[in-house]
Structures are given as C-alpha cells and as structure tokens.
Amino acid sequence: MTGPTANPAAPDAEIVLETKGLVKEFRGFVAVNGVDLQIRKGHIHALIGPNGAGKTTCFNLLTKFLEPTRGRIRFKGEDITRSSPQQIARQGLVRSFQISAVFPHLSVLENVRIPLQRRLGTSFHFWKSCRSLDRLNDKAMEILALVGLDGFARMVAVELPYGRKRALEIATTLALEPELMLLDEPTQGMGHEDVDRVMQLIKAVSAGRTVLMVEHNMKVVSGICDAITVLARGAVLAQGDYASVSRNPAVIEAYMGTEAAQAAGGH
C-alpha cells in the first residue's frame, strides 16, 4: 500500500456509502478537506487518526448533523448530501453516539422497545396502554440475546455496568434495523474485559450489515476491521487493511512523529 488510493476490497464489492470531495469549513478553518470515502457492503470499516484529524466532523457530516461546505455523499446510490438525520435513519443509516444515550430510568427491555415502537405506528401515542407494547417483547428479547443482555432485561438501565450500557446502546441501534451502523468510539473509557466483549459484539452484529466506526483503540481496529481510513489534518492520509496502513511511514509519522517513521522505514 503506497498511498491513499489503495483499497484492499474486491473491486466488485458493492459500495454502500461514498463521499466525493467532502469539505467542511468553519469560518475559514478547514476541518475536513476533500475526503473521498468508499464503504463496502458487509465490511467493518474504521475511521482513525490522531486528535484533531477531523474524524468527528467527518462522522457528523455523514450522519447529517453537519452540512458539508462542498462535496457529495451517496448512500445506496442515492444522494443524501442535503438529507436530514431522520431521513437517512429511515433509509437504514443509523448512528450511535460517543456518550451512552440510553434512557437511564427505564428497564433494559423498555429501552429496546422504544425504537421498535415505530413498527406499531404508536411512537408518539403516549396515552396508549403499556400493554399494547407487549407484542414487541419477543423481538426485543431477541435483540437483547444478540448483544448478551437477555439476562438483564428487567434491570433498570442506570444500574448496568458501563460496558453493558454500550451494549444496550448498540441494541437500541439494532432495533432500528440499520443497513449501515455508524459507531462513535464504541470502546471509549472501557477496561480490557469490556473492550473484548464489545469487540466480539460488533463482530457479531456486523453479520448481514455494514459498520463504520470511529475508534482510537488499535487492538479493536486490528482485530475486527476489514478496511481502515486514516485522517490527518482533515484529509485522507491512507486507506487499506490494517497490515498495510500500520506500515505506512506517513501514518507512523502522524501518530508518533518523524523519528519513529524514519526508524520504521529503516527496517
């Protein structure tokens, strides 16, 4: 892998999300600078880079929490550059957040039932009996089993350990039936045991869907990702699989400085 155009994926793999020349400026500061991404169907794709590289801004552009200054975003072949977060969620592009976003005083089961309610068309019918939601319990338990939380269904969410809360957040994301899940720092602040659990969870839930995640933990990135895009100063520095990206002198320099890059190049 010699540069940012290298791609380890088979050329005939379907591209589910693509950006062309994506730019975001804030009063003259260029936070994202001409980013071209191709996220292939069925892959776990990581967006990595040193602090200030533009990862979060790029993520906010992809999920429509920010509007790009220039450039285009396509999801499943359709231009979503000016779509709203609600519109793209209905199309199957669903995001989780860096900070756990569950309802702390509802049970684990109730947290998963909330996104399932849209199937009943009663999402905002707060006057209806709770018993009308019982038909969703089987599906909610199925999702909880997938993320290893079926034994915690009746527990109040605030009482869950931190790693389990992140699993619950992924469960609520799954309840929206995403084709593409965007995970923002899914293992941030976790101990080794929780990191291993969430790694296996992401691998399990990626079956039949695509995952794009911002992640700092290189153990996670190297362990489960099919493809990696490295950002530095808002631009794409390298793309490829972990083995090729981790050997790239430009990537090593961005993370560890010029001397480390020169040392790596000498081996």
Side-chain angles (χ1 to χ4, degrees):
M1 198 273 301
T2 57
T5 57
N7 195 316
D12 58 349
E14 181 183 343
I15 296 168
V16 67
L17 181 70
E18 182 175 27
T19 70
K20 290 284 190 183
L22 203 59
V23 174
K24 182 61 180 177
E25 298 176 356
F26 296 98
R27 296 183 179 181
F29 171 71
V30 182
V32 171
N33 188 8
V35 167
D36 294 342
L37 285 177
Q38 290 188 334
I39 312 301
R40 297 186 180 271
K41 188 173 183 178
H43 277 193
I44 302 175
H45 193 123
L47 193 61
I48 70 170
N51 289 335
K55 304 181 298 296
T56 298
T57 303
C58 192
F59 224 56
N60 285 333
L61 291 169
L62 296 177
T63 52
K64 311 311 301 139
F65 287 87
L66 286 174
E67 287 293 315
T69 305
R70 292 186 295 281
R72 312 301 295 175
I73 307 169
R74 297 179 69 84
F75 178 54
K76 297 189 294 186
E78 182 177 335
D79 192 315
I80 63 166
T81 309
R82 303 300 169 194
S83 298
S84 70
Q86 294 82 5
Q87 287 171 325
I88 64 168
R90 285 193 291 269
Q91 289 173 264
L93 194 160
V94 182
R95 172 187 184 165
S96 78
F97 289 86
Q98 191 172 11
I99 300 169
S100 185
V102 300
F103 292 95
H105 299 297
L106 295 181
S107 73
V108 168
L109 179 69
E110 287 167 337
N111 265 278
V112 177
R113 279 198 326 204
I114 288 171
L116 288 174
Q117 277 183 249
R118 68 178 189 160
R119 299 181 183 195
L120 300 181
T122 61
S123 299
F124 302 105
H125 295 184
F126 295 112
W127 59 87
K128 290 205 171 184
S129 167
C130 290
R131 286 192 294 273
S132 69
L133 302 180
D134 287 347
R135 73 185 87 171
L136 299 175
N137 286 353
D138 287 347
K139 181 61 179 177
M141 288 301 296
E142 182 184 319
I143 294 169
L144 289 175
L146 181 60
V147 302
L149 289 178
D150 44 328
F152 297 82
R154 302 298 171 186
M155 184 179 286
V156 177
V158 72
E159 297 175 357
L160 286 173
Y162 180 69
R164 301 285 189 182
K165 283 180 185 170
R166 300 311 302 262
L168 176 56
E169 184 184 331
I170 291 174
T172 61
T173 306
L174 286 173
L176 293 170
E177 299 183 323
E179 290 182 52
L180 173 58
M181 290 180 67
L182 292 102
L183 305 177
D184 192 2
E185 297 280 7
T187 67
Q188 186 185 48
M190 290 185 183
H192 293 303
E193 184 178 331
D194 281 337
V195 168
D196 289 341
R197 182 184 294 118
V198 172
M199 271 180 69
Q200 295 311 311
L201 169 56
I202 294 169
K203 198 163 188 178
V205 302
S206 69
R209 58 180 60 86
T210 308
V211 176
L212 173 63
M213 63 182 184
V214 171
E215 181 55 67
H216 274 106
N217 189 319
M218 289 300 107
K219 175 186 176 183
V220 176
V221 172
S222 63
I224 63 174
C225 291
D226 302 293
I228 301 162
T229 297
V230 185
L231 294 184
R233 294 182 292 277
V236 174
L237 184 63
Q239 295 192 82
D241 60 15
Y242 181 79
S244 58
V245 164
S246 63
R247 290 195 302 265
N248 187 318
V251 174
I252 296 168
E253 180 178 345
Y255 272 97
M256 294 184 290
T258 307
E259 290 183 11
Q262 289 172 343
H267 288 299

